Amino acid sequence: MTNKLSPTIKSAMLTIGLILLFALEILRIYLIMPFPGSQHANTIVLAFWIGKNIIWLRLIAIALIILPCISIFKNAKIWKKAALASTLVLYAVVFFFFNFRFEADKMFLQAKHKRFMIAADDTTKRNKLVIGVVINGVARAYPIQIIGYHHQVMDTLAKTPIMVTYCTVCRTGRVYSPLINGKKANFRLVGMDHFNAMFEDAATGTWWQQATGKAIAGPLKGASFTQIPFQQLSLGAWLRAYPTSEVMQPDTDFKKDYSDLAKYDNGTVKSSLEKRDSASWKPKSWVVGVLYHNTAKAYDWNQLINAKVINDAVASLPILLTVENDGASFHVFNRVVNNQTLFFNKADHGLITDNNTRSTWNADGLCIDGAMKGQKLKTEQCYQEFWHSWSTFHPNTLKYSTLTARLN
């Protein structure tokens, strides 16, 4: 059979087959990991197709090279044999690294020992940022330094399955229900889309975008996770509101990985992918995002820190944005109480007052003095993330400014 093929055809088969083998291994990972230039194009469909068809694509490539390889190793000169052998060894190295080292779930492992402690026994620093979840009065706090490495933590809170997620490259915390078609699913970190973490469910092989909870490739494409309300704030602020909360503890098997994120909370981590841009409206600038009835709006973190209190509206929803004295804990409240839209100002000691009744409210949105005493502002879901993330996944987002606020 090999003698019936011309040297030109055998050379073409070998070249095409080798290029295909290398391209498959590299592109499968390159397209869904933060390599230079890989996260700016819409390549998820191609990446998904390669990933799901990689076995038979490899077989095609091997079929192309097997006869030319036999011919070379039988009849070619020593230098050609050595060159081919070196190329095949190089492919083996590429295969190993791109299948056993560079895959997302091989680089970021899941917690092996999941432990929680009640606040009274917990030694976590109270200024650490957490994702706080409360269901049916049962509260838990998940330090971002921990879930930021693992990317997702599966848990059950008040008999409710939850999936606590965080993408450090987008600064996006999200909590979802892990139920698919009514059944609890398991997920692995499969890669990234536009720098945002993607998860693959074991049941259907669908790829899910962390920031939006949407299925972006696979059998369930177009579906969405059910989001579970949460807050991002300092552990001290969370325990003030939920003093009986449990706190997730670090897994001692991952001390080094957690230590790499020690400065992540304040944005001074070394990684260029995760470090904050202190200027406003830059790709790595922090914003607070609010989404209401498909209207998205972003608020510059620097402006919020300076103002402490922002009165605004997203679509028809009047909202109040506040940041606590710790400079890290933030809230978005509905400004409507008893059918009355209130307007707020900052006051001393981290308190706020409303112009309408001159009542005084605390950082948790509870009125502690005045005509509204006992009333509590409704918390609205909000997110702190990098501007590049919010603007990518909400391309029609509005940007808050004091000028537009005055005009409105």
Side-chain angles (χ1 to χ4, degrees), residues 78-127:
I78 292 294
W79 70 266
K80 283 190 175 182
K81 293 179 181 179
L84 177 58
S86 298
T87 303
L88 294 177
V89 169
L90 178 60
Y91 170 71
V93 172
V94 169
F95 180 90
F96 173 78
F97 276 96
F98 279 82
N99 286 273
F100 298 98
R101 287 290 185 268
F102 294 160
E103 284 194 330
D105 60 344
K106 305 289 195 310
M107 298 173 68
F108 302 98
L109 306 177
Q110 289 303 295
K112 298 175 184 177
H113 311 102
K114 213 162 34 176
R115 297 183 304 116
F116 296 88
M117 283 190 179
I118 59 172
D121 298 329
D122 174 59
T123 58
T124 305
K125 292 181 179 179
R126 293 317 190 233
N127 65 345

Side-chain angles (χ1 to χ4, degrees), residues 158-174:
K159 299 182 179 180
T160 302
I162 64 173
M163 179 181 178
V164 184
T165 72
Y166 200 90
C167 176
T168 56
V169 181
C170 286
R171 204 173 178 88
T172 45
R174 301 289 188 270

Side-chain angles (χ1 to χ4, degrees), residues 81 187 198 272 303 332 358:
K81 293 179 181 179
F187 298 85
M198 286 190 305
S272 60
Q303 190 172 1
V332 173
R358 304 297 179 184

Side-chain angles (χ1 to χ4, degrees), residues 149-381:
Y149 166 72
H150 297 297
H151 287 75
Q152 57 128 330
V153 172
M154 303 292 288
D155 198 12
T156 300
L157 190 60
K159 299 182 179 180
T160 302
I162 64 173
M163 179 181 178
V164 184
T165 72
Y166 200 90
C167 176
T168 56
V169 181
C170 286
R171 204 173 178 88
T172 45
R174 301 289 188 270
V175 181
Y176 297 112
S177 167
L179 301 182
I180 295 180
N181 297 324
K183 296 182 179 180
K184 183 179 178 180
N186 292 315
F187 298 85
R188 75 179 184 96
L189 181 68
V190 71
M192 303 181 100
D193 173 38
H194 289 85
F195 295 102
N196 186 240
M198 286 190 305
F199 303 111
E200 179 183 78
D201 72 80
T204 72
T206 298
W207 287 2
W208 302 81
Q209 199 172 66
Q210 184 266 348
T212 64
K214 293 180 180 178
I216 56 176
L220 299 180
K221 184 177 180 179
S224 295
F225 286 136
T226 298
Q227 188 169 156
I228 293 174
F230 70 94
Q231 293 185 67
Q232 177 186 307
L233 66 180
S234 71
L235 178 58
W238 176 256
L239 294 179
R240 183 190 63 229
Y242 301 99
T244 61
S245 174
E246 292 183 322
V247 182
M248 186 175 184
Q249 302 299 297
D251 186 331
T252 54
D253 287 354
F254 300 98
K255 279 186 176 181
K256 170 63 169 62
D257 303 294
Y258 298 150
S259 67
D260 290 342
L261 292 173
K263 296 183 178 180
Y264 180 82
D265 287 4
N266 62 17
T268 60
V269 67
K270 291 182 179 180
S271 168
S272 60
L273 289 171
E274 300 163 323
K275 187 177 181 179
R276 177 192 177 192
D277 190 330
S278 59
S280 299
W281 304 115
K282 302 297 181 183
K284 290 292 182 182
S285 299
W286 293 357
V287 300
V288 173
V290 181
L291 184 64
Y292 182 73
H293 288 183
N294 296 319
T295 297
K297 200 164 189 177
Y299 299 81
D300 173 46
W301 183 259
N302 293 332
Q303 190 172 1
L304 177 58
I305 287 291
N306 290 331
K308 299 295 185 185
V309 170
I310 293 177
N311 295 270
D312 195 37
V314 178
S316 59
L317 177 69
I319 61 171
L320 165 69
L321 288 85
T322 66
V323 64
E324 297 191 25
N325 288 338
D326 61 15
S329 304
F330 63 99
H331 307 272
V332 173
F333 298 112
N334 187 324
R335 289 193 286 124
V336 178
V337 179
N338 296 336
N339 297 318
Q340 184 178 11
T341 301
L342 305 180
F343 189 93
F344 292 87
N345 292 302
K346 64 181 178 180
D348 295 332
H349 309 297
L351 302 174
I352 55 177
T353 58
D354 70 84
N355 286 358
N356 309 64
T357 69
R358 304 297 179 184
S359 297
T360 301
W361 307 70
N362 68 15
D364 297 316
L366 176 67
C367 185
I368 57 174
D369 188 52
M372 290 279 187
K373 187 174 182 179
Q375 296 284 349
K376 198 172 192 305
L377 300 175
K378 179 186 175 185
T379 299
E380 298 292 340
Q381 187 63 66

